[in-house]
Amino acid sequence: MLQPHSGGFFPPKITLTQRPPSREDEMMVPVLDAKKASQLPVNEVACILQAELQLGLSHEEVTRRRAYHGWNEFDISEEEPLWKKYICQFKDPLILLLLASAVISILMHQFDDAISITVAIIIVVTVAFVQ
C-alpha cells in the first residue's frame, strides 16, 4: 500500500513490511529498515511509521508496537577479556616472524638484537591493541 505525502505518493520501490493482523480490529504495524529510512526525508519516515514528530507515540501505541516488535535493545554478548585480546595480537604472521627472529638471535647469543626485536614487537602489539 502506498502512503500519501506532500509530494504525492511514495515511489513503488519503498515497500513496507507488515505482519498480518491476528484479529480483525488489530491494525498493522509499519516497518521501515534503516537503509531505506536513511534515504528519505524525516517527514516521510514519520508518515510511513505513523509517528508524530512533535508528540511522538502515545503510550498505547508504544505498548502495541513493543508487543509486535519487542524491546528496542541489542543482544550484547559477554566481552572477551582484555588480556585475551592482547594475546591475540601475537597471532599475526609478521609478529610471529619477528618472534622467531628474536628466538634465533638468542640462540646465536646476539642478546642485543633479541632485546631490540622483542621491544619492537611489544611496541607494535601494544599500539595495535590500543587502536
Side-chain angles (χ1 to χ4, degrees):
M1 175 165 86
L2 297 177
Q3 298 288 329
H5 66 52
S6 60
F9 288 92
F10 289 116
K13 68 179 181 178
I14 304 299
T15 57
L16 298 177
T17 314
Q18 296 178 333
R19 178 184 78 167
S22 59
R23 300 181 317 206
E24 286 184 27
D25 61 339
E26 181 183 334
M27 296 192 54
M28 291 188 205
V29 177
V31 178
L32 184 63
D33 66 44
K35 183 176 180 182
K36 288 180 184 174
S38 68
Q39 297 170 348
L40 297 172
V42 173
N43 292 336
E44 290 183 22
V45 173
C47 181
I48 290 170
L49 297 177
Q50 301 168 1
E52 292 289 327
L53 290 177
Q54 299 300 320
L55 303 174
L57 299 172
S58 68
H59 180 69
E60 294 79 21
E61 184 63 16
V62 169
T63 304
R64 186 174 77 85
R65 291 186 186 198
R66 191 174 289 145
Y68 180 84
H69 294 291
W71 289 88
N72 186 19
E73 57 188 23
F74 294 105
D75 291 330
I76 300 175
S77 60
E78 183 95 11
E79 272 198 40
E80 191 175 25
L82 288 178
W83 64 270
K84 279 189 177 181
K85 288 182 181 180
Y86 187 80
I87 296 298
C88 284
Q89 296 292 321
F90 288 94
K91 293 180 180 177
D92 184 88
L94 183 59
I95 299 298
L96 292 173
L97 180 66
L98 288 171
L99 284 171
S101 66
V103 169
I104 291 171
S105 295
I106 289 172
L107 293 175
M108 296 178 66
H109 299 289
Q110 295 177 352
F111 299 110
D112 291 342
D113 290 343
I115 291 172
S116 299
I117 294 169
T118 305
V119 168
I121 292 170
I122 291 172
I123 290 171
V124 168
V125 167
T126 303
V127 168
F129 173 75
V130 170
Q131 287 181 345

